[in-house]
Amino acid sequence: MEPFLIDLKEKRDERGALVAIEGGDTVPFQIARVYYLYDTSPERDRGFHAHRELEQVLVCVHGSCEIVVDDGRFRRSFDLARPDCGLYIGPNIWREMLRFSQGAVLLVMASMHYTESDYIRSYNDFLAEVRARG
Ligand code: T46
């Protein structure tokens, strides 16, 4: 499945705003793990890998960053700059996280626990796996 944006439906009133995310509803999988990236810097790109099985939703809850996604044929870029907007990335999509604003915080909800065997960390290996799949 190609990456897509999810409207996280902010609840705003005079006190501020709240976003609630429910696994299997707001995001299209049960959430098994949550992690977040912080102390990020515009000079320090991250990612540069794909996952074989993992599904994730990324939300830039503070600041902004650019997420480049690549299915082995086409590259596409998303600017994440709103805490009420999530980016779904499914399996077999190469991702690069670029241009973090100073102090940006990227929250990630994941469908699986962490396992290094799910990562493809070489772009050539990624292309070979995608092409072998047809
Ligand atoms: C992804 C993007 C959006 C853990 O021990 N547990 C975890 O749950 C994660 C995600 C990472 N780690 C360890 C593995 C490395 O030693 O934390 C270190 C940094 O991980 P990594 O270099 O993979 O970080 P990013 O920011 O390049 O990528 C992360 C996720 O790993 C990845 O799944 O899609 O964020």
Side-chain angles (χ1 to χ4, degrees):
M1 193 190 301
E2 289 304 311
F4 59 88
L5 293 172
I6 300 174
D7 175 3
L8 297 175
K9 304 217 185 322
E10 152 187 296
K11 319 269 184 206
R12 181 173 287 277
D13 60 28
E14 63 283 357
R15 299 167 299 170
L18 180 153
V19 165
I21 299 171
E22 298 191 351
D25 182 5
T26 324
V27 299
F29 52 81
Q30 294 301 333
I31 298 166
R33 177 167 51 108
V34 173
Y35 60 92
Y36 41 94
L37 312 178
Y38 60 102
D39 280 350
T40 52
S41 150
E43 288 82 40
R44 299 289 182 171
D45 298 337
R46 303 188 64 119
F48 297 89
H49 59 255
H51 286 278
R52 295 187 171 91
E53 304 285 342
L54 184 71
E55 298 177 90
Q56 302 198 111
V57 170
L58 286 62
V59 184
C60 197
V61 293
H62 182 74
S64 62
C65 64
E66 177 186 4
I67 311 291
V68 172
V69 290
D70 178 337
D71 65 2
R73 291 181 306 153
F74 302 109
R75 283 170 82 81
R76 204 175 153 194
S77 166
F78 293 89
D79 288 320
L80 295 186
R82 297 174 55 117
D84 62 347
C85 178
L87 174 64
Y88 171 87
I89 306 179
N92 303 308
I93 300 287
W94 184 262
R95 82 279 320 264
E96 300 172 6
M97 293 116 77
L98 316 174
R99 298 197 300 118
F100 284 97
S101 64
Q102 198 72 47
V105 180
L106 184 67
L107 173 75
V108 184
M109 288 147 285
S111 64
M112 294 165 43
H113 287 191
Y114 172 75
T115 169
E116 191 58 36
S117 62
D118 190 62
Y119 283 76
I120 311 170
R121 291 195 183 269
S122 144
Y123 190 70
N124 285 340
D125 292 350
F126 164 70
L127 286 182
E129 288 198 26
V130 166
R131 284 172 187 161
R133 231 173 269 116

